């Protein structure tokens, strides 16, 4: 318990005021009801109630299942104008922090390893060169794009909801700030479009998939990685499953609903992987921590040492990550013929 207590950061509460754990003072337009992203139906049944386990802000967030097509999604969801506050500078994917004390080399190695893992997956399906064009949707600080540009010479382009254009890693990237389906991108342009943990945050996932289809070259490939709802870690952690990531995650895909979403958007499936570039270990560690913390929020500065220690201890299990359906899924698509 000492390790976990050390991870709690009681000062990390932000945004909403609390009265004995209850949120107060939310504006009337904080939540909005939404119909099913996949079939448009409005009939649902309750699925799981989650909390902001990463950030520790108070409040409950409800996920439902569509009665007609079984898609799991957040309903009501936090409206677009209010969700921005949950992507502040402490948001994990947007952190620019490079100083983790003695653990800095380990942290940088982990970040490089993630980009290496993404590179390994995409290079099985596309071969990139100086004449290639790549788009990363939800590119954050753009380190994956910068890596591809450096290693292949490809022209790289990124879109993100948040303006991170000041990040040095985006200096050589054509960066578009805003919603993907509103970005000014020419049709038939890209050899490769990637969505690494983007689609589960999307406020209109089918429209984004259709946009990806439109900007892909006829022989281009779209690579999508999202958390996998029908995975072991969801069964283990339930309402504390890190893949719920409330309230940032709007939609929770299992294998079936993910494949139906891409097909419905005019794409055909080239391959499906029961793992991703993102380490399943992250979900094992944070899921266990969230069960103990019960919504109090994760302090990354304090978690980083137990994180790396746990990774060493679980190494024998993690060697079989690709066969165990632990947490992630990746689908590789092309334009339907
Ligand atoms: Zn539905």
């Amino acid at each position: 318990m000492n390790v976990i207590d050390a991870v709690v950061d009681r000062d990390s509460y932000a945004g909403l005021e609390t009265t004995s754990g209850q949120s107060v003072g939310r504006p009337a337009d904080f939540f909005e009801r939404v119909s099913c992203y996949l079939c448009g139906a409005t009939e649902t049944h309750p699925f799981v109630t989650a909390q902001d386990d990463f950030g520790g802000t108070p409040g409950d967030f409800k996920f439902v299942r569509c009665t007609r097509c079984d898609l799991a999604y957040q309903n009501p969801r936090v409206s677009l104008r209010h969700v921005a506050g949950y992507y502040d500078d402490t948001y994990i994917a947007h952190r620019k922090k490079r100083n983790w004390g003695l653990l800095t080399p380990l942290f940088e190695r982990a970040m490089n390893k993630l980009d290496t893992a993404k590179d390994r997956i995409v290079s099985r399906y596309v071969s990139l060169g100086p004449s290639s064009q790549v788009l990363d949707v939800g590119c954050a600080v753009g380190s994956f794009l910068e890596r591809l540009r450096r290693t292949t010479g490809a022209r790289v382009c990124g879109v993100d909801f948040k303006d991170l254009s000041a990040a040095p890693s985006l200096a050589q990237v054509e960066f578009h700030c805003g919603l993907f389906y509103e970005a000014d991108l020419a049709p038939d342009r890209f050899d490769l479009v990637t969505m690494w943990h983007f689609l589960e945050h999307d406020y209109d996932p089918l429209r984004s998939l259709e946009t990806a289809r439109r900007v892909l070259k006829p022989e281009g490939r779209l690579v999508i990685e999202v958390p996998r709802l029908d995975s072991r870690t969801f069964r283990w952690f339930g309402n504390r499953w890190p893949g719920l990531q409330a309230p940032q995650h709007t939609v929770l895909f299992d294998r079936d609903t993910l494949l139906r979403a891409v097909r419905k958007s005019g794409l055909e499936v080239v391959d499906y992987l029961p793992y991703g570039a993102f380490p399943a270990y992250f979900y094992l560690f944070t899921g266990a921590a969230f069960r103990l913390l019960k919504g109090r929020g994760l302090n990354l500065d304090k978690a980083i040492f137990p994180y790396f220690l746990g990774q060493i201890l679980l190494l024998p299990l993690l060697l079989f990550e690709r066969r165990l359906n632990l947490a992630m899924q990746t689908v590789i698509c092309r334009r339907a013929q």
Side-chain angles (χ1 to χ4, degrees):
M1 283 299 283
N2 286 340
V3 165
I4 294 303
D5 282 340
V7 168
V8 180
D9 178 12
R10 291 180 180 282
D11 299 328
S12 71
Y13 286 57
L16 302 168
E17 292 175 29
T18 63
T19 310
S20 40
Q22 298 297 307
S23 56
V24 292
R26 275 181 175 156
D29 62 347
F30 186 81
F31 280 118
E32 61 189 11
R33 294 209 74 80
V34 58
S35 51
C36 176
Y37 298 104
L38 198 48
C39 77
T42 52
E43 306 81 36
T44 61
H45 51 267
F47 176 49
V48 64
T49 299
Q51 293 181 325
D52 177 13
D53 284 306
F54 279 99
T57 60
D60 288 342
F61 302 95
K62 291 186 168 63
F63 290 90
V64 298
R65 271 203 193 267
C66 174
T67 307
R68 200 192 295 170
C69 80
D70 215 32
L71 183 73
Y73 61 101
Q74 194 186 150
N75 195 20
R77 68 181 180 190
V78 178
S79 62
L80 202 51
R81 64 180 290 249
H82 288 291
V83 88
Y86 289 93
Y87 291 90
D88 63 11
D89 291 340
T90 62
Y91 180 61
I92 186 162
H94 294 163
R95 285 173 80 106
K96 284 163 265 176
K97 178 168 176 173
R98 285 287 172 263
N99 182 12
W100 298 88
L102 289 171
L103 295 170
T104 303
L106 274 180
F107 180 78
E108 290 195 338
R109 194 167 155 265
M111 296 309 288
N112 289 336
K113 220 172 137 186
L114 179 59
D115 288 334
T116 308
K118 291 175 179 177
D119 194 351
R120 278 214 192 101
I121 289 177
V122 301
S123 52
R124 276 150 60 183
Y125 303 97
V126 284
S127 79
L128 299 170
S131 62
S132 308
Q133 298 228 27
V134 180
L135 170 68
D136 189 22
V137 184
C139 66
V141 293
S143 61
F144 170 63
L145 286 171
E146 174 54 23
R147 178 195 168 94
L148 286 188
R149 189 193 66 81
R150 219 177 43 238
T151 56
T152 69
R155 189 166 159 203
V156 292
C157 175
V159 183
D160 208 285
F161 172 74
K162 186 164 175 166
D163 187 5
L164 298 155
S165 55
S169 42
L170 281 170
Q172 308 289 323
V173 176
E174 177 191 320
F175 179 73
H176 297 255
C177 179
L179 297 172
F180 172 46
Y181 41 73
E182 289 174 1
D184 185 18
L185 296 164
D188 306 332
R189 175 177 162 186
F190 294 101
D191 300 274
L192 171 67
V193 177
T194 53
M195 293 178 173
W196 307 106
H197 291 264
F198 164 79
L199 207 60
E200 72 274 29
H201 296 253
D202 203 332
Y203 274 57
D204 198 343
L206 258 57
R207 191 170 168 199
S208 290
L209 290 171
E210 284 157 10
T211 304
R213 183 196 178 279
R214 183 173 57 80
V215 301
L216 269 181
K217 284 181 182 167
E219 287 306 313
R221 294 290 182 269
L222 168 65
V223 177
I224 303 163
E225 180 183 330
V226 292
R228 183 170 174 182
L229 186 58
D230 53 332
S231 66
R232 283 199 161 85
T233 49
F234 177 69
R235 291 205 296 276
W236 292 339
F237 300 126
N239 68 339
R240 299 286 176 196
W241 184 53
L244 300 175
Q245 205 182 321
Q248 293 101 339
H249 285 184
T250 51
V251 56
L252 311 170
F253 292 103
D254 56 24
R255 177 190 164 122
D256 181 54
T257 50
L258 178 64
L259 296 184
R260 273 193 278 141
V262 301
R263 286 176 179 135
K264 198 166 178 178
S265 310
L267 294 154
E268 67 182 40
V269 176
V270 173
D271 204 358
Y272 174 88
L273 311 173
Y275 58 88
F278 197 85
Y281 170 68
F282 184 82
Y283 275 23
L284 290 169
F285 176 84
T286 51
F290 294 165
R291 286 284 283 268
L292 293 163
L293 294 169
K294 297 183 168 49
R296 284 176 287 173
L298 187 71
N299 181 334
L300 286 175
D301 291 336
K302 291 174 182 166
I304 193 160
F305 178 71
Y307 182 84
F308 287 119
L309 182 66
Q311 194 166 30
I312 293 165
L313 297 174
L314 286 179
L315 194 64
L317 173 77
L318 296 170
L319 289 173
F320 300 97
E321 175 175 340
R322 292 184 173 195
R323 299 187 197 169
L324 294 173
N325 181 20
L326 285 175
M328 306 298 161
Q329 56 182 339
T330 307
V331 63
I332 296 89
C333 327
R334 52 176 291 172
R335 284 162 57 163
Q337 301 300 294

